[in-house]
């Protein structure tokens, strides 16, 4: 259904950002490789910019395999580079070994970055300043979805059901640990899921079944953020929808994650390959449509554009559909749900990328004229 083509006569200069400072650095490198492998060189002139774990930006001519395995960082041809906020540049500045500065025009950016300092509105803010169109959500929706407490509050305000939850800052938790534990016990019951408000890929998340475990879980979460989200445990199927575009947004029906461990951990998601995905999820036709409808509503409610993956639980027994979170730049690895769901609904990766790039250009016109 998505058939827009870029003119082959004028390849678009697309900058692919990958890596980044977050705990999802490695996943981002693999996601970026998927983009690179599925973009027609006749249509796109690809400019690859890697961000190291300590935040250096390097122009690189690495292959997707070198991006994925990390060896890209050592390539002799890499050059320090920066996206210029100066709109006259409309692109990147390269610092050559000879000490010169070169400008590189960029038509559109694919920020294939997951987690903090990439998927959270920061890079999106830089690109807004630079006036360069980019794939995915804008500053606000990216920031909202990165913060699980703010996202939960917006879901509640928009009538998107979520499990019972609460959030406290480090200062609050330190000032009144006993009072907060009692309040959580009363509001959520055991077990309690404990999450850093801003994190991703299950890093810093744990499940606490008693007061001692709760204290450890809070400590772990506070290592990752100064704000902690607490949720009641949902015994349910984990299902996810791929959503694309805006006004109107289109959602696929959900696929299902079969977690390998007790819950869906970082290692399951990206390393062990023990999680399996089922498309569509094992739900009735009505339930599939209900989740799909909630996905488009939740995405629209928090102002997503471009793409996002909306994750839900369908509670065992009651069948209640509860939103878990929205990922504004979901994984694009070979086992990732977003591209699989889109492919299942008839949009293979190369066409999906064409569509995402086209949406980025349309968004820039709609926002800035
Ligand atoms: N309230 C909950 N009840 C049951 N399982 C949960 C709950 N919240 C999270 N999980 C489990 O933990 C995983 C990671 O939590 P999530 O909020 O999605 O964080 P992340 O941003 O790291 O993906 C989920 O995929 C799910 O398996
Ligand atoms: Mg998740």
């Amino acid at each position: 259904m998505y058939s827009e083509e870029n003119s082959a006569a004028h390849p678009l200069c697309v900058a692919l950002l990958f890596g980044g400072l977050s705990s999802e650095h490695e996943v981002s490198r693999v996601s970026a490789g998927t983009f690179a492998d599925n973009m027609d060189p006749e249509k796109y002139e690809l400019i690859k910019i890697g961000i190291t774990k300590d935040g250096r930006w390097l122009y690189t001519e690495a292959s997707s395999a070198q991006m994925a395995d990390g060896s890209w960082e050592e390539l002799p041809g890499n050059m320090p580079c920066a996206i210029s906020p100066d709109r006259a540049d409309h692109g990147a500045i390269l610092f050559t070994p000879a000490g010169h500065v070169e400008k590189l025009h960029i038509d559109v950016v694919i920020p294939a970055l997951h987690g903090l300092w990439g998927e959270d509105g920061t890079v999106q803010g830089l690109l807004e300043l630079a006036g360069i169109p980019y794939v995915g959500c804008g500053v606000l929706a990216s920031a909202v979805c990165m913060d699980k407490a703010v996202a939960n509050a917006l879901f509640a305000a928009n009538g998107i059901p979520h499990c019972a939850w609460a959030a406290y800052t480090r200062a609050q938790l330190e000032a009144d640990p006993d009072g907060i534990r009692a309040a959580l016990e009363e509001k959520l019951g055991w077990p309690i899921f404990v999450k850093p408000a801003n994190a991703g890929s299950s890093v810093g998340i744990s499940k606490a079944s008693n007061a001692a475990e709760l204290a450890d879980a809070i400590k772990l979460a506070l290592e990752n953020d100064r704000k902690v989200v607490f949720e009641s445990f949902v015994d349910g199927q984990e299902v996810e929808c791929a959503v694309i575009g805006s006004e109107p947004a289109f959602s696929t029906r959900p696929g299902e994650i079969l977690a390998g461990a007790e819950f869906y951990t970082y290692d399951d998601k990206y390393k062990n390959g023990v999680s399996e995905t089922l498309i569509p999820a094992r739900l009735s036709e009505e339930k599939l449509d209900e989740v799909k409808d909630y996905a488009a509503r939740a995405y629209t409610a928090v102002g997503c554009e471009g793409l996002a993956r909306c994750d839900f639980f369908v509670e065992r027994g009651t069948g209640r559909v509860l939103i878990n979170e929205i990922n504004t730049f979901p994984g694009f690895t070979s086992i990732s749900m977003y591209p699989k769901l889109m492919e299942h609904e008839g949009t293979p990766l190369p066409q999906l990328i064409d569509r995402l790039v086209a949406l980025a250009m349309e968004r820039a016109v709609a926002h800035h004229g």
Side-chain angles (χ1 to χ4, degrees):
M1 74 188 277
Y2 304 119
S3 60
E4 280 120 292
E5 301 279 326
N6 297 311
S7 160
H10 303 284
L12 274 182
C13 294
V14 179
L16 182 61
L17 299 185
F18 67 94
L21 292 145
S22 82
S23 54
E24 292 161 279
H25 174 100
E26 283 84 1
V27 188
S28 158
R29 295 195 323 238
V30 180
S31 291
T34 304
F35 277 92
D37 285 342
N38 286 280
M39 296 177 68
D40 181 352
E42 304 260 300
K43 283 194 239 170
Y44 304 107
E45 189 185 320
L46 205 54
I47 297 162
K48 294 167 207 157
I49 301 175
I51 305 172
T52 65
K53 282 184 188 169
D54 42 12
R56 301 211 53 222
W57 290 49
L58 298 172
Y59 167 91
T60 183
E61 293 184 356
S63 66
S64 46
Q66 288 168 327
M67 293 197 285
D69 69 20
S71 60
W72 74 274
E73 266 190 52
E74 306 306 327
L75 297 180
N78 291 348
M79 279 182 263
C81 96
I83 290 196
S84 169
D86 186 332
R87 291 196 172 191
D89 292 335
H90 209 283
I93 297 172
L94 293 187
F95 301 91
T96 70
H100 300 300
V101 163
E102 267 178 36
K103 288 186 184 180
L104 208 56
H105 176 85
I106 295 172
D107 291 309
V108 58
V109 171
I110 302 177
L113 302 164
H114 309 307
L116 289 175
W117 305 296
E119 191 184 353
D120 61 349
T122 50
V123 168
Q124 290 72 17
L126 169 62
L127 297 170
E128 290 288 344
L129 269 180
I132 306 174
Y134 55 95
V135 166
C137 295
V139 173
L140 181 66
S142 300
V144 163
C145 293
M146 184 55 50
D147 186 310
K148 294 182 199 294
V150 175
N152 287 354
L154 275 190
F155 296 145
N158 286 279
I160 316 287
H162 189 284
C163 67
W165 65 281
Y168 296 97
T169 61
R170 181 196 304 277
Q172 290 171 318
L173 288 161
E174 284 172 359
D176 184 17
D178 294 337
I180 289 174
R181 194 197 62 236
L184 290 172
E185 214 172 308
E186 155 122 20
K187 185 172 182 188
L188 310 179
W190 302 100
I192 296 174
F193 252 82
V194 183
K195 315 177 176 184
N198 295 274
S201 289
S202 305
V203 174
I205 296 186
S206 49
K207 181 175 147 187
S209 299
N210 53 51
E213 286 180 15
L214 184 65
D216 288 344
I218 290 172
K219 212 171 140 220
L220 177 69
L222 284 174
E223 282 169 20
N224 292 277
D225 197 3
R226 51 168 283 285
K227 187 163 66 174
V228 183
V229 173
F230 301 87
E231 294 182 356
S232 58
F233 172 76
V234 181
D235 177 23
Q237 288 168 260
E238 272 195 84
V239 302
E240 308 183 339
C241 292
V243 190
I244 189 165
S246 51
E247 296 179 320
F250 168 82
S251 176
T252 66
R253 300 213 292 182
E256 181 170 354
I257 305 287
L258 301 176
E262 189 175 8
F263 66 95
Y264 195 23
T265 66
Y266 181 86
D267 284 356
D268 281 355
K269 280 179 187 168
Y270 306 113
K271 294 186 185 159
N272 305 335
V274 294
S275 303
E276 278 183 58
T277 50
L278 283 180
I279 299 175
R282 296 165 302 170
L283 296 169
S284 67
E285 294 292 313
E286 296 73 42
K287 219 23 110 179
L288 289 171
D289 284 336
E290 187 185 337
V291 179
K292 168 183 164 132
D293 185 50
Y294 272 130
R297 278 174 50 194
Y299 175 102
T300 305
V302 300
C304 289
E305 295 163 282
L307 81 158
R309 197 191 70 224
C310 298
D311 298 354
F312 296 84
F313 299 109
V314 180
E315 195 173 47
R316 270 181 255 283
T318 65
R320 280 195 307 161
V321 176
L322 303 169
I323 192 157
N324 175 28
E325 61 161 347
I326 297 182
N327 291 283
T328 52
F329 212 106
F332 267 77
T333 72
S334 62
I335 59 161
S336 292
M337 187 65 109
Y338 189 95
K340 278 192 185 179
L341 285 166
M342 282 293 176
E343 175 139 36
H344 188 81
E345 302 230 0
T347 309
L349 255 168
Q351 269 166 261
L352 173 59
I353 296 170
D354 288 348
R355 177 66 184 151
L356 291 172
V357 168
L359 283 167
M361 308 298 268
E362 286 168 25
R363 176 183 183 278
V365 172
H367 282 248
H368 306 292

